[in-house]
Amino acid sequence: MLKRVHFPPSVLPYLLVAPQVIITLVFFIWPASQALYQSFLIEDAFGLSSEFVWFENFVYLWNDEIYLATFWRTGWFSLAVAGLSMSFALVLAGFADRVVRGAMIYRTLLIWPYAVAPVLAGALWVFMFNPTLGIFPYFLEFAGIDWNHYLKSGQAMLLVILAAAWKQVAYNFLFYLAAMQSIPKTVIEAAAIDGAGPIKRFATIIFPLISPTTFFLLVINAVYAFFDTFGIIHAITQGGPAGSTTILVYKVFNDGFVGLDLGGSAAQSVILMFLVISMTVVQFGYVERKVEY
Amino acid sequence: MANINLVNLTKSYDNTEVLHHIEGSIADGEFIVIVGPSGCGKSTLLRMIAGLETVTSGEVFIGDKMVNDVEPAHRDIAMVFQNYALYPHMSVEQNMAYGLKIRGLPKDEIAKRVREAAEILEITEYLSRKPRQLSGGQRQRVAMGRAIVRDPQVFLFDEPLSNLDAKLRVQMRLEIRKLQKRLGVTSIYVTHDQVEAMTLGDRLMVLNAGYVEQFGTPVELYQCPETVFVAGFIGSPSMNFLSVTVADGVLTLENGATVAFSNGHSGTALLGVRPESLIANPDGAVRLKVEMVEQLGANTLVHGHLEGTGTEMVASLPGIETVESGTVLRFDAPQEALHLFDAATQKRLET
Amino acid sequence: MVERRPFIVFLTHFILVVGVVAIALPIWITFVAASHSEIRMTQVPLPLWPGDQLWVNFKNTLFGNGLEGTETAPVWLMLTNSLVMAMMISIGKIAISLLSAFAIVYFKFPFRMGIFWLIFITLMLPVEVRILPTFEVVAQLGMLNSYWGLTIPLIASATATFMFRQVFLTIPDEMLESARIDGAGPMRFFWDILLPLSRTNIAALFVILFIYGWNQYLWPLLITTDQDMTTIVISIKQMLEVAEASPQWNIVMMVALLAMLPPILVVIGMQKLFVQGLTETDK
């Protein structure tokens, strides 16, 4: 936590932390407390007066079927993105770990989607799936599938999930590969001598040993799906059709900046804040437990 | 060059006193070794002299100046750390020059001093290397060089040899001793190794649980230990301790054996006798029942018990001896090799 | 590794190649689209192999005015904006994090733990959960449509501060003691010893933060209304909307290519630092 020896007391440490503290107070703490305060207010239609209403905004959200639907949608959207992306990455990492030479080449070829901005990922996928021009709808038509994510909510959600998962594969792959490579080779060899084949070894030795990484990635992917997918959704569906791809973050943005419902948007922000806090607590509380090799 | 005075020095962490009323004066040019088991406070004492730890009460004088509130940089000291603390991103030359550069010495003066120190330590050919490209012994020399170039009033060494292997340790020990004699700089050296302490120091300060047990020359410590702790700590193998009763010029051992001894004390006491002071004698009063024998070549160590008791004893026989376990050997010891200690205060009982 | 049976080796490489192709496909299609003429990009099926218009499209995009029928800023200006924003965010984050980690690790001062927790809390307040009020603060400070408004609200970083704190804690105490005996004051120690010793950590963090800064979307979207402040990543969304009405996919995809090229080059070119940065900041 702290060094045994220190520099003698002076004003210097205060000057050193000043930039970070000032920025944190002005752009983090103050706005967050404002959001908290506003979540207890209801403004009239013209924004001229506001009334302190305690938890009315939250009660309203609780009874709002659209909000509840968004809440659950966000949940399973996150699970779908995390599950798809992590299992794809796990398989690739499992095979890359077996490659003696060239593992780094595969790594190089697999990591760069990480560098693509979410909104660009959205643009790429929306182009590939453009109903009139896109490559994929062209081929899907032969299979008898009529693709139009502008009209069909299931297809819209599928496209958003695909784009979001695609971008995150790189990250998951890196962490899985690193975790697998840190397992001592002797452990694997001991299992081989015990008679476990490659698949059995993966299932009974490697996968259990990398379970902390899986847990860690689950949290990171959930946070990613909650917040960083805004650009993807904004580019592909703008939350549509009929709100079927609206997740919590998108709704905060929509209600606040487009709908100008300050109190409602602030209450949603506060709920999001609690979600982030609980995820952070989970991440710090459990991820620290590492497997002893 | 400077003398050092420690006056009633005390150190506490969170109201727990770890060093108690340390007194000591060190003459100009003297080589002092602070020795004691780990956790005795010896490093803390050294760091207080360096200015890296604050003084809780008492005073530290370097030269005639009280330096309690003087920054380490201004105490005119140099320190060699156990892990050397070389700056890993700087070359050997830059490492040695860094302190001089900060002090604003002219470039050619810095270069001259670094060159001289490098020659003394025979590290001239490594000057452009980084610390990680050096062996342990070479790093040790660079750490010394960094101290020498500063031409300080005092050298402080914090277990500088404990990261080296045994052979190199003996070699560097001699070199440090020669170097210190040559430069004549007052030095304080901390170690837990009593052999290192005995061979290096002009005087030794034996520290135990935050108290100074004894402060004297190696010979004084060996011949005339003030406390049971010093008696047991100095010398290898350790001194034997036997419970005795003293009355009318006769010592009675636990098993009833008696030894003539004129000391003037009476009552129970602790008798200390070094293994190498025990002399085999078929008529000797001390009977040792042998359990195990260690043949070291130059001498033979005989481990066992005082016959009829559970008190462990070791005797050292010159040369190679073959002794069966179970045999009883008899020893005598000259009067001047017997040390008598008060069983309660653990202090030496002088004649 | 055990088992060198040819079939397993073949299967391993086969699956990896399939994976690489699947991952690379969207970017390949982007590249192909950017290398064809506008006319070709309206004919179904769209090409899967590159055409010969890459250079023409590149020139028209970089020095032209983007799409016909819109008034976006020139692409080179948007690229510049993105670069300035990414650099300001990454350098700003690194600078303030280094300083506060230095203060927290090497000084003992009242409110030290309070400040530590204050910084920790920022971890739990991503820009998405405080957009509206933060937007209001920036508006009141008159920082809308400026580089300052784009970057400063994003540069307080708990992760970077924690990372440097971790790095400093692994530097042996004797380094500081030795420097103090050598006569180095706090700032001298910071410059001469701490910064050089954290060099690779700084570089690794820079790679991650550059990508983070370059890819910012929601925040610039809100606070830049002036076309001249638009970043390249923002412009893609506007172009997508225009492309729905009058398809110029070759240009849109060329812009997308230009927008993703700098961060991709950084990731590929500095792969080792990138991996180090990623694992250090998130663990």
Side-chain angles (χ1 to χ4, degrees), chain C residues 39-229:
Chain C
I39 308 291
R40 177 66 187 87
M41 290 310 292
T42 56
Q43 295 158 352
V44 177
L46 291 180
L48 279 173
W49 202 249
D52 53 5
Q53 301 294 305
L54 189 70
W55 179 245
V56 178
N57 289 338
F58 176 74
K59 261 195 324 199
N60 290 346
T61 307
L62 195 56
F63 303 108
N65 246 354
L67 295 189
E68 296 157 30
T70 57
E71 284 178 27
T72 52
V75 169
W76 65 264
L77 179 62
M78 297 192 289
L79 280 170
T80 313
N81 286 341
S82 283
L83 183 68
V84 172
M85 176 173 76
M87 293 301 277
M88 280 176 76
I89 289 177
S90 32
I91 292 172
K93 267 190 191 247
I94 288 172
I96 68 168
S97 302
L98 271 173
L99 292 177
S100 42
F102 175 50
I104 284 172
V105 173
Y106 283 99
F107 292 85
K108 205 173 186 171
F109 54 99
F111 307 117
R112 193 178 134 268
M113 282 315 285
I115 287 168
F116 181 79
W117 284 109
L118 186 74
I119 294 170
F120 185 78
I121 286 173
T122 60
L123 201 63
M124 309 191 181
L125 299 172
V127 69
E128 287 84 358
V129 309
R130 55 187 166 86
I131 32 176
L132 256 174
T134 314
F135 176 81
E136 283 165 11
V137 170
V138 171
Q140 279 161 18
L141 291 173
M143 300 204 302
L144 294 180
N145 285 314
S146 75
Y147 286 131
W148 300 116
L150 263 180
T151 55
I152 288 183
L154 299 177
I155 69 173
S157 166
T159 43
T161 309
F162 289 172
M163 194 200 87
F164 285 127
R165 177 180 151 264
Q166 217 54 46
V167 172
F168 292 167
L169 285 177
T170 60
I171 292 175
D173 286 358
E174 285 83 357
M175 225 39 92
L176 168 63
E177 298 178 343
S178 187
R180 278 185 70 185
I181 291 175
D182 275 340
M187 289 324 282
R188 181 117 199 190
F189 173 71
F190 181 71
W191 274 115
D192 286 354
I193 314 287
L194 273 193
L195 278 193
L197 287 182
S198 336
R199 218 169 28 205
T200 51
N201 304 87
I202 293 173
L205 190 63
F206 178 82
V207 171
I208 300 296
L209 292 178
F210 181 84
I211 296 165
Y212 166 86
W214 182 277
N215 288 348
Q216 278 304 310
Y217 181 66
L218 178 56
W219 184 246
L221 182 70
L222 297 180
I223 77 142
T224 58
T225 45
D226 184 350
Q227 287 292 359
D228 287 342
M229 286 302 297

Side-chain angles (χ1 to χ4, degrees), chain A residues 3 20 112 171 234 238, chain C residues 27 100 171 217 237 271 282:
Chain A
K3 291 279 176 184
Q20 176 133 21
W112 38 281
Y171 185 93
H234 202 218
Q238 298 180 30
Chain C
I27 301 188
S100 42
I171 292 175
Y217 181 66
K237 173 74 177 88
Q271 197 181 148
D282 268 338

Side-chain angles (χ1 to χ4, degrees), chain B residues 55-106:
Chain B
V55 173
T56 308
S57 73
E59 287 160 335
V60 177
F61 288 91
I62 296 180
D64 295 322
K65 198 171 157 220
M66 207 273 273
V67 294
N68 279 22
D69 299 317
V70 177
E71 270 287 292
H74 301 133
R75 293 190 181 194
D76 204 3
I77 53 166
M79 186 155 167
V80 178
F81 293 87
Q82 180 174 355
N83 65 2
Y84 318 137
L86 300 177
Y87 308 123
H89 58 294
M90 296 185 191
S91 69
V92 168
E93 189 170 9
Q94 288 167 326
N95 259 290
M96 286 164 66
Y98 186 64
L100 303 178
K101 210 174 98 191
I102 290 180
R103 281 176 172 71
L105 260 69

Side-chain angles (χ1 to χ4, degrees), chain A residues 84-85 87-96 99 103 105-113 125 136 162 165-170 173, chain C residues 10-28:
Chain A
L84 186 62
S85 176
S87 39
F88 195 66
L90 180 64
V91 170
L92 288 181
F95 281 100
V99 176
I105 295 173
Y106 285 116
R107 193 177 80 174
T108 308
L109 292 171
L110 284 169
I111 59 172
W112 38 281
W125 283 79
F136 280 95
L162 279 176
W166 171 77
K167 197 186 130 42
Q168 195 66 0
V169 166
F173 172 78
Chain C
F10 169 77
L11 184 73
T12 302
H13 286 279
F14 177 76
I15 289 187
L16 284 170
V17 169
V18 168
V20 166
V21 168
I23 292 295
L25 188 69
I27 301 188
W28 173 253

